[in-house]
Every structure is written in C-alpha cells, then in structure tokens.
Amino acid sequence: MGNAGTAAVAPRGSGVAGAPRVDAQPVAATYWKGRDLLELRGCGAGPLRAMLRAAAELPSPDECAPEPWRSRLAGRTVATLFFEDSTRTKTSFSIAARRLGADVADLTAGASSVNKGETLVDTALNVAAMGVAAIVVRARQSGAAELVARAVSCPVINAGDGRHEHPTQGLLDILTIAEAHGRVPGFDLSGLRVAIVGDVVSSRVARSGIAGLTTLGADVVCVGPPGLVHGGLRTLGCEIEHSLDAVIGAVDAVIVLRIQFERHGDAAAKGDGGKPEQGKSTAIASIREYRELYGMTTERAERMRPQAVLMHPGPMNRGLEIDGPAADGARSVILKQVANGVRVRMAALGLLTA
Ligand code: CP
C-alpha cells in the first residue's frame, strides 16, 4: 500500500499514494467498507469519528450485541495471525469476531508453518485462500501488516507491528478518554491534554495514540527520560517533556507505558543467554531512578486533575512504571480500556467487512 500516511484509509487496490485525506466533514460508516486498518497516522478526523461512533453505539461486552451487529459476520471467518505474544488484543479480536457471528481461525507463531521457514506473506496468502472475511495481524516487524495487506484481497487489520502502530489500541484509548470527558458522540477532543509517559520511543501504542488524539483536536505531551522520549518525536505532532511532576497536575488523561526492554536491543538489555533482561537498558540510568522520576505512584495519581483518568495499554509491570494501588485506584480506567477494546474491534471488523 506504499504511502504510510494514506495506507490506513485507502480503498483496496486503489494504488493509494494519492488517496485524498478526509478531514472534519461528516463521514458515513460505509466509508470503511473494504479498507484496511493499518495505522491512524494520515487517517482524517471524519473516518476516525465514523469508526469511533460505531464503537460507541455498541454495548459493553457483557451485554448482548444488537442486530444488525450480532449477525453481521454470520457464516464468515475472521483469521487472527499472531506472531508475537498477546493477551488483550488477540482475545478481544476473537471475542469481537464471535460477537459479530463469525467463526475465528487463530494462528500463532508457535503452531504455524512460519516455524518451517514459510514467510508471513505466504502464510497470509494461504489463509486468505481459505475464504476468510478479514485477517488480523500482529508481528515483531514494523510494516508487516502492510506487507500482508498488499498481498491479500480481504481487509487487513494491524494488531501491532513492531514499533510502528497499534491502531485499534489507539482507537480504544481515544474512546475511553472521550467517554470520560463527555466527548461522545462528537469526538471533538479540543481543549483536552493527554500525557503519554514512559518508553515512547519503543511504543506503537504511543504512535497510534498521538496520531489519533491530535487529529481529533487533543494536545499530546510525551514524558520520559531523554533515552526514551527524545526531541525527534516532536515530528509526530506532540510536545516533549522530561519532568512528569511538571505535567501531572495539568493534563486530562495520563497513559502510562511499559518499558519495553525487549525492544531496546542493546548490550545492557541482554542477560547471560543473550535474551532481553527485565530491568536492563542503557536508555535509563537505573530502575530506581526511573521509578523516582517517572513512576506512576499513588502520590502522583492523587495530584492529577479531579476529572483526569489514568490509563495503561497493558501488560503492566506493577511496581515498575505503575504502582498497584494507582492501577486499581478510583481514577484508573485500565479495565474500561480493555472492555472498550472489544467494542472498537467489533466496529473495525464490522465496518471493514460490511
Ligand atoms: N495492549 C496490548 O496490545 O496488549 P497485548 O500485548 O496483551 O495484546
């Protein structure tokens, strides 16, 4: 699909490079029909709002989905190709597909012929040949979902590719913030300021969040030590700040990120077996110092604005980037994010395959 900025919203087979950006004008949910969802960068406000409104109209996952959603994918199959570990994304895509009436074909790295040398694209082509309605892809390599999308004719959803993007996580984070601050169904986030704290440089969640939030009018400030939040990230459209204490009382939502030691890849991050070691990275001076300066402690959570919400995409490392009482406290919407993940993924699967 070539151009990263337009791939997210380009019609299949359009060549995409010159696809027009769609901005704030109302966009019908049918806009998404037959498209891929690869990234939020370059996705206009209109398409974003159409997707978010569809998700917001869906009930929480513990309630029965209404028609026509409940049978939207009846008799069809959604394939999930997960070549990297996942708890939330994989499970919620499976639940979302089933709530739309679909069958689900789950493929994981450990149980696929990728282990015998088959490429990701060949794997996807074979799965697509079985007549699936959509393919959901997670992979370690940035751009992997786009490679699959170029090869197959069914819609492809990026469920996280390397450090690139995780668009459905970005959408569920936006839905959660918009609900907390009364911005549904308009999804105009102007006047809201969101802090993304921690390992931004490694984070596909941050990239999708920055793209989607700023497109809808929010200001985003990324907070962390220079090794994890460097000035070059300003090109994404966010502010940069190295003091969490300077911003904690001046934002409407805080998204805390896990330190992704496994993506740092430097010598200090490797243990004896050459594998990433939790707590080791040259990007931070020490865990103790990181916690002191950037840890989401109960005390810091108490200094947030009264209506501000505390978020984390998971998986959480309690006691490292976030303290247990803060994660479980009154302003935490972390499990709300997870529940909204099912609604967003139902909307994405339903609209792309309509
Ligand atoms: N937020 C997220 O992507 O979590 P998983 O890695 O468990 O899917």
Side-chain angles (χ1 to χ4, degrees):
M1 287 230 169
N3 184 305
T6 53
V9 295
R12 300 196 61 80
S14 70
V16 307
R21 185 182 167 101
V22 181
D23 287 310
Q25 73 271 30
V27 169
T30 51
Y31 171 88
W32 284 101
K33 183 177 177 177
R35 295 174 191 263
D36 303 312
L37 178 57
L38 303 178
E39 59 187 6
L40 299 190
R41 179 172 164 258
C43 185
L48 279 180
R49 290 189 173 118
M51 180 73 77
L52 288 161
R53 282 181 188 132
E57 282 169 14
L58 287 161
S60 63
D62 55 357
E63 291 173 45
C64 198
E67 290 293 4
W69 289 95
R70 198 165 61 220
S71 54
R72 197 135 190 171
L73 282 171
R76 302 176 79 187
T77 301
V78 171
T80 67
L81 274 49
F82 275 63
F83 299 107
E84 191 185 64
D85 295 344
S86 168
T87 295
R88 282 146 291 270
T89 313
K90 184 171 187 299
T91 309
S92 72
F93 265 114
S94 293
I95 290 172
R98 290 193 176 98
R99 283 171 63 77
L100 295 170
D103 292 322
V104 180
D106 283 323
L107 204 65
T108 54
S112 77
S113 291
V114 167
N115 279 341
K116 301 175 191 169
E118 187 170 67
T119 66
L120 172 63
V121 167
D122 275 332
T123 301
L125 281 167
N126 279 269
V127 169
M130 297 176 203
V132 299
I135 296 178
V136 180
V137 184
R138 169 170 289 196
R140 285 188 203 290
Q141 301 81 10
S142 299
E146 185 179 342
L147 278 181
V148 170
R150 286 183 185 189
V152 302
S153 56
C154 65
V156 172
I157 300 179
N158 178 9
D161 60 334
R163 298 180 182 196
H164 169 223
E165 280 220 29
H166 192 349
T168 54
Q169 179 73 45
L171 289 165
L172 74 89
D173 288 346
I174 292 168
L175 176 59
T176 305
I177 291 168
E179 287 185 331
H181 290 284
R183 303 299 178 98
V184 178
F187 289 99
D188 177 356
L189 304 186
S190 52
L192 294 180
R193 193 164 186 238
V194 178
I196 303 180
V197 181
D199 191 358
V200 177
V201 73
S202 306
S203 178
R204 56 198 180 205
V205 172
R207 282 174 178 74
S208 288
I210 294 165
L213 286 163
T214 56
T215 297
L216 297 179
D219 292 323
V220 178
V221 55
C222 292
V223 187
L228 301 179
V229 179
H230 57 70
L233 292 166
R234 284 195 185 92
T235 58
L236 300 176
C238 57
E239 303 163 47
I240 299 299
E241 173 61 68
H242 299 303
S243 168
L244 178 55
D245 289 322
V247 301
I248 192 72
V251 292
D252 303 291
V254 177
I255 302 174
V256 179
L257 300 175
R258 180 175 69 90
I259 304 180
Q260 299 187 51
F261 294 104
E262 73 276 16
R263 292 198 199 283
H264 291 186
D266 53 44
K270 305 281 172 71
D272 285 344
K275 291 193 169 155
E277 191 175 357
Q278 190 74 350
K280 295 275 182 69
S281 170
T282 53
I284 55 172
S286 73
I287 289 292
R288 201 158 64 107
E289 185 180 299
Y290 183 85
R291 273 189 52 74
E292 201 168 305
L293 294 175
Y294 302 105
M296 181 47 69
T297 59
T298 312
E299 186 272 325
R300 283 200 173 101
E302 281 169 1
R303 279 195 278 135
M304 290 167 64
R305 284 176 173 165
Q307 303 305 320
V309 289
L310 179 57
M311 304 167 67
H312 193 306
M316 276 188 289
N317 284 318
R318 289 172 184 258
L320 203 166
E321 75 271 5
I322 190 165
D323 284 354
D328 303 329
R331 64 172 72 255
S332 169
V333 289
I334 292 170
L335 293 180
K336 180 75 181 165
Q337 289 173 265
V338 177
N340 279 343
V342 176
R343 298 163 78 202
V344 158
R345 286 161 184 141
M346 283 179 74
L349 285 169
L351 296 189
L352 268 56
T353 60

